Every structure is written in C-alpha cells, then in structure tokens.
Amino acid sequence: MRSVEMGRSVGELAEEADRAVAYTADEMMSVAASRVLTDGAVCFVGIGLPSTAANLAKRTHAPGLVLIYESGTIGAKPVHLPLSIGDGELAETADAVVSVPEIFNYWLQGGRIDIGFLSAAQIDRFANLNSTVIGSYDEPKVRLPGAGGAPEIAASCRETVIVMRQSRRSFVPEVDFVTSVGHGSGAGDRDRLGLTGRGPSLVITDLGLLAPHPGTLELELTHVHPGVEVEDVRVATGWDLKVAEDLSRTVPPSADELAVLRQLRTAG
Amino acid sequence: MAELMSLEDAIERYVSDGDCVALEGFTHLIPFAAGQEIIRQGRRDLTLVRLTPDVLFDQMIGAGCASKLVFSWGGNPGVGSLHRFRDAIENGWPVPLEIDEHSHAGLTNRYVAGASGLPFAVLRGYAGTSLAQHSGTISTVTCPFTGEQLAAVRAVNPDVAVIHAQQADRDNNVGLWGITGVQKEAVLAARHAVVTVEEVVDELTLGVGGIVLPSWVVDAVCVVPKGAAPSYALGYYDRDNAFYEEWDGISREREGFAAYLDENVYRAPVRAVRET
C-alpha cells in the first residue's frame, strides 16, 4: 500500500480519515456491509439495512453486483432505495422478472445465489436468527412479521451475511424462536440438517464485526469500529463474547462511501 | 368462461362465510378494492391465505372477517408492524385468529402443489427451524431415489382466489405484468377465481414479466380502476407510500381503525379511491 510506504500505518490513516469526516454508527455499519460484496457476485437482498448496503456497494466498488429481490426481480438497478422488496422500479430496471415460485425454487434453492443478506430481531452465538416472536409462540410478548424469505435464504445461499444493530436485547444467549438456521448448535450441524449453503460468514453491527470461529463456529469479535472498545461490544452482547486473537479495527468510511450513502438516502 | 360482472355481484356469488380465500399480489397489484368489498359485505369466519398479509389483511382481520390466517410474512413493508394483525394474535381482538405460519418458499410451494393437482410439494426448507413445530401443514418426506430427507408441505386449494390485474380483453382473458408473485398459482389452485382489472382492452399489451390467465380459468372479471390502490399497478399508477406510513397511525388504536373503516369502507358505496 502506497501510503504505508510513505511511513504512515493503516491505523494512523484511519485516525486521519476519522477526523476528516464525521459519520454515525449506522453509516459505519452500512459501509462495512457494502464492502463484503464483491464485484460480480449474485446477492439476494432483504429490505432495510441489507438493501442499503447492497445498493451502496453497487454504486461504489461493485458495479457488476447482481441484486436479486424475493419479489422475483433479477438484476434490479434501482435509482432510489426501494421502500419495499416489490417496488415498481425494481421490476422496471431488472434484467428479468420471474414469479415468486421461480425465484425460490429455481434461483435460490437451485444454488445460483452467492450471498444472502439478512437481518433479524434476535441472533444467538451461533448466528441463528429470530424474526418471528419475542416470548413464547402461543403467547408472544411481541409478534414480529415472521419468516418471509429468510429461512431458505439462510439455508441455500452459498454464504450469508447478517446486518443488525447490536444490543443485549438483540444479541441473546438463545433465540426465542429459530426462524433461520445459522450454525445450529455448532460445528457439523448444517451438514446434519442437509443445508446446502455454508451459512453465516460474517455479522456486521453498529459496533464491529463478528465471524464464526473456524473450529467451533461460535461468533467471535474480529473487528471493532473506530471509537468502539471491546468492552462496549461485550456490554452489548447477551453472552460471554469471545474476542479473536488478531482483533482489528475497521477502516472508517471514506469520503466517497459516505457521500454515495447519503445521496442514496436522500434520493430514496 | 369468465363473466364480466360488478365487484359487488362477484363477491356476493363467490365468497361465502367460512370459505378459504386467497388474496394475492406480492406488494404489487394487491386486490384492495375486492378485499374491502368482502369487508363491506360482512363476511365472517374466513380462512384468509396470503404470503404477505400487509395493510389489506390488517383491515380484513381488524374488521373481523377472519378466524384463521395462513401466511408467511405479516408486516407493513418498509414501515413496521401491523397493529390489527398483532392485536388479533396477541389479544384475540376483535375475534381470535388461528394462524398457520410458513416461509415464503413453503407457502409458495403449497400453492404450486395445489395448482399442480398434487397433495403436497417438496422443498429444501424448514430443517432446523422452529416453524415446523407450530404448523400442521409442514412435514418431511424421504426421497425414494437418494434417501435424502426433505421438507413436505401440504397443498393449499382455496375455495376462491382473488387477484387484481392490469387488463382483460373483450373475451375476458386476463393480462398482468411486472411483479406477478404467486397469482397464477393461486388462481390455478383455487376452485373459483375473481379478478378485478384496471381496464378492458381490445388486445392485451403485456409489459415485462407478463402472463395471461385464459378466460376459462377465471370465473368473474370486474372492472375496478385503481382497484389495487394504495398498492400499485405497473404502467397505471404508483404505490402510495405515504398512505402505508399513515396506516401505522390510523391502525394503532382500535377506535381510530374503526373510524377509518366506517368512513372509507362501510359508508363508501363505491370504493373511495384516493388520488395520488
């Protein structure tokens, strides 16, 4: 890296950028999520945080990213951030529009999707997700919208990435309901269940990044965002969070990433 | 062959108390006018089927039309919770609501089985989730060729499917395009089909992703311009996103919801169409 040759560490550069442009924790999260999407990848996109990140990636480093929404729009190129997964603009800008049975059976179950982007109300240490109920199913404290496309996205994409804000309410020792399987109860579970995709590879929050430990598949903290300390993340986690030996600090959003993100939001 | 008739007559003839009724439209072409006519005619004890019970089903559930809901995602897209849906599930108001809950892939395949004349459909799904424990229509089946265990979902065959489309031609063939969701499967799985359309044209002018439902698989065609509003009809009008956001406030309390229903459904002889 040229700047390192000039005698400044990545950390120093990060601090400099940090001072240069102010940004929110949510913006850091969206930018970090966009960075995991590589140019040319085929991405199954949920609405909300995942859609923001995917559209940001497509407008920055990954113009060839293929966006697929569960409404059956393949290769959508929305100018505005859609409010729902079925906005008219998605159909009008798509390479192809197919039925809902087709998108789930041929494209998702058929193994044609590289990466699935999900969010949820609760996540546990093995990245199992709950978007169905808080409390018991029969007498819920909070009734959430439910599964939608998530269980099969979690099952069948080659890998999944989860984007959600981190707190003790959402990062829980055990989810109240397993809507979508992450790594089940640990190594070997996905194979045993016959799930074809590799499962969650990364969890991106407003505080940092968590990834499954290669051996146990339990989530561990691999990155903290600028200005966040390990203790902040522990406090926002409902289990005894493990920290990776090579813990790193996330590179802050560049001026370009922030500008595109903000433009997306105001245009949306 | 489909018959051209008024929406009032079509609902009167094809939707009865106790029926299983699918109203489909995946964020696009949601049959709001037809659903509100079902409310206006005071139907009760319906089993309502829909992948995405959103604002329309919030209205129907809050009005007390349904005793059972078959669904896979119940929310106000991009906005948040459905308050009437939650009140029915959490508090049994205005009547208790039994639910049969699926994933989109699962419920979609229930329609596919229904349309295909099969008793069940097979998919890779539900393994390891809590969903199967709470539904009587999810099971497993072993592949006779590979021995692999897969999910099985029971066919759904509604008494009637209700959808909205952009066009019908003079022979009552129905054309729809854009995001067409599971409408074809719902119509072919159901015993009867009622279709509202924006207009009747000499020749269908299908856009992207267009499909045709021949007249002989449809029972009633009703001309209802803006029949999908506040959702949208590609090529005709846009989604009224502001209304979806307003719905959160309108529906939050029972009283406000009742006032809305009274003014916009019960006391509206012809469905009041909101200009956007």
Side-chain angles (χ1 to χ4, degrees):
Chain A
M1 191 187 279
R2 187 182 158 81
S3 50
V4 174
E5 290 164 14
M6 288 162 63
R8 289 187 296 168
S9 72
V10 172
E12 281 167 339
L13 281 171
E15 280 169 27
E16 186 180 306
D18 202 13
R19 281 193 301 275
V21 198
Y23 53 87
T24 66
D26 268 10
E27 286 175 331
M28 179 71 254
M29 173 167 59
S30 293
V31 167
S34 79
R35 289 175 185 157
V36 307
L37 294 167
T38 53
D39 199 20
V42 178
C43 179
F44 206 107
V45 190
I47 210 67
L49 295 170
S51 179
T52 305
N55 278 283
L56 174 58
K58 194 164 173 61
R59 284 162 175 75
T60 50
H61 64 276
L65 183 69
V66 179
L67 305 183
I68 296 189
Y69 288 82
E70 66 191 19
S71 53
T73 51
I74 297 173
K77 293 167 277 289
V79 175
H80 307 100
L81 267 188
L83 182 68
S84 83
I85 42 78
D87 280 15
E89 199 183 346
L90 297 176
E92 287 169 314
T93 61
D95 296 328
V97 180
V98 301
S99 71
V100 169
E102 186 176 327
I103 202 76
F104 282 105
N105 287 347
Y106 298 173
W107 297 83
L108 179 56
Q109 185 173 265
R112 295 190 173 272
I113 314 291
D114 296 318
I115 185 162
F117 247 50
L118 292 171
S119 196
Q122 286 183 332
I123 184 170
D124 69 18
R125 68 173 73 204
F126 291 109
N128 302 298
L129 302 178
N130 173 16
S131 51
T132 303
V133 288
I134 305 297
S136 80
Y137 188 76
D138 293 323
E139 289 178 27
K141 271 190 225 144
V142 182
R143 173 66 229 197
L144 302 164
E152 285 75 24
I153 293 173
S156 296
C157 290
R158 290 199 182 89
E159 64 179 304
T160 55
V161 170
I162 296 152
V163 195
M164 55 192 281
R165 296 185 187 96
Q166 192 158 2
S167 74
R168 263 180 196 264
R169 281 176 59 203
S170 54
F171 282 63
V172 296
E174 202 174 326
V175 291
D176 294 347
F177 189 99
V178 179
T179 310
S180 306
V181 179
H183 293 292
S185 53
D189 248 25
R190 288 189 66 91
D191 282 346
R192 186 178 58 76
L193 292 167
L195 304 175
T196 51
R198 287 195 301 272
S201 56
L202 195 61
V203 179
I204 298 161
T205 82
D206 48 347
L207 300 177
L209 311 183
L210 297 81
H213 179 275
T216 65
L217 299 184
E218 180 176 331
L219 290 176
E220 61 177 19
L221 184 66
T222 62
H223 290 70
V224 284
H225 295 329
V228 176
E229 299 308 322
V230 170
E231 192 49 34
D232 300 331
V233 189
R234 282 188 190 275
V235 166
T237 307
W239 67 86
D240 185 16
L241 179 66
K242 294 190 173 72
V243 178
E245 280 174 22
D246 55 347
L247 179 76
S248 315
R249 201 166 276 284
T250 319
V251 176
S254 71
D256 182 48
E257 286 169 326
L258 277 177
V260 175
L261 177 61
R262 286 169 187 173
Q263 194 270 335
L264 253 184
R265 288 220 174 110
T266 50
Chain B
M1 300 294 277
E3 199 180 325
L4 194 65
M5 64 177 81
S6 72
L7 178 57
E8 291 86 339
D9 289 349
I11 298 302
E12 176 71 38
R13 191 181 303 180
Y14 292 110
V15 181
S16 306
D17 286 356
D19 275 356
C20 176
V21 186
L23 293 98
E24 281 297 351
F26 201 79
T27 72
H28 176 219
L29 297 174
I30 298 173
F32 266 90
Q36 291 180 343
E37 182 59 28
I38 292 173
I39 297 176
R40 201 177 294 115
Q41 292 194 16
R43 290 292 178 278
R44 290 291 176 271
D45 198 27
L46 301 177
T47 293
L48 293 179
V49 189
R50 176 164 170 71
L51 292 184
T52 54
D54 42 26
V55 169
L56 175 59
F57 269 27
D58 213 31
Q59 295 177 356
M60 296 180 77
I61 290 165
C65 298
S67 58
K68 184 172 179 183
L69 173 68
V70 181
F71 77 109
S72 44
W73 191 86
N76 183 348
V79 179
S81 283
L82 292 175
H83 302 295
R84 298 299 97 222
F85 159 83
R86 281 185 56 181
D87 201 13
I89 292 177
E90 293 170 12
N91 308 308
W93 192 92
V95 288
L97 184 69
E98 185 189 340
I99 57 173
D100 181 16
E101 180 166 7
H102 283 264
S103 65
H104 282 343
L107 184 48
T108 290
N109 278 294
R110 293 189 64 194
Y111 278 124
V112 170
S116 307
L118 291 169
F120 70 93
V122 174
L123 71 155
R124 289 183 193 281
Y126 297 114
T129 74
S130 308
L131 287 156
Q133 299 159 23
H134 298 281
S135 170
T137 53
I138 303 171
S139 187
T140 56
V141 65
T142 303
C143 172
F145 305 106
T146 64
E148 189 178 0
Q149 186 165 294
L150 298 158
V153 288
R154 186 170 190 165
V156 62
N157 290 101
D159 294 303
V160 57
V162 179
I163 67 165
H164 184 76
Q166 282 101 336
Q167 297 176 344
D169 67 15
R170 305 280 169 202
D171 298 321
N172 294 330
N173 298 301
V174 168
L176 59 159
W177 64 89
I179 292 166
T180 58
V182 288
Q183 281 98 309
K184 183 196 273 186
E185 289 72 19
V187 163
L188 294 179
R191 283 214 290 280
H192 296 291
V194 171
V195 183
T196 55
V197 296
E198 290 295 324
E199 61 172 342
V200 174
V201 294
D202 291 331
E203 207 162 317
L204 301 175
T205 55
L206 300 182
V208 59
I211 58 175
V212 176
L213 296 170
S215 172
W216 53 272
V217 299
V218 174
D219 292 275
V221 169
C222 317
V223 181
V224 186
K226 287 207 130 184
S231 81
Y232 72 104
L234 194 65
Y236 288 78
Y237 46 92
D238 291 335
R239 191 173 190 266
D240 186 355
N241 284 338
F243 178 80
Y244 280 83
E245 280 161 11
E246 284 164 33
W247 182 252
D248 194 60
I250 293 168
S251 62
R252 191 169 288 268
E253 302 299 333
R254 294 171 185 174
E255 295 73 22
F257 167 73
Y260 173 88
L261 216 56
D262 196 43
E263 186 173 337
N264 296 279
V265 181
Y266 292 128
R267 292 200 288 142
V270 178
R271 179 172 174 262
V273 171
R274 177 190 156 108
E275 294 303 322
T276 54

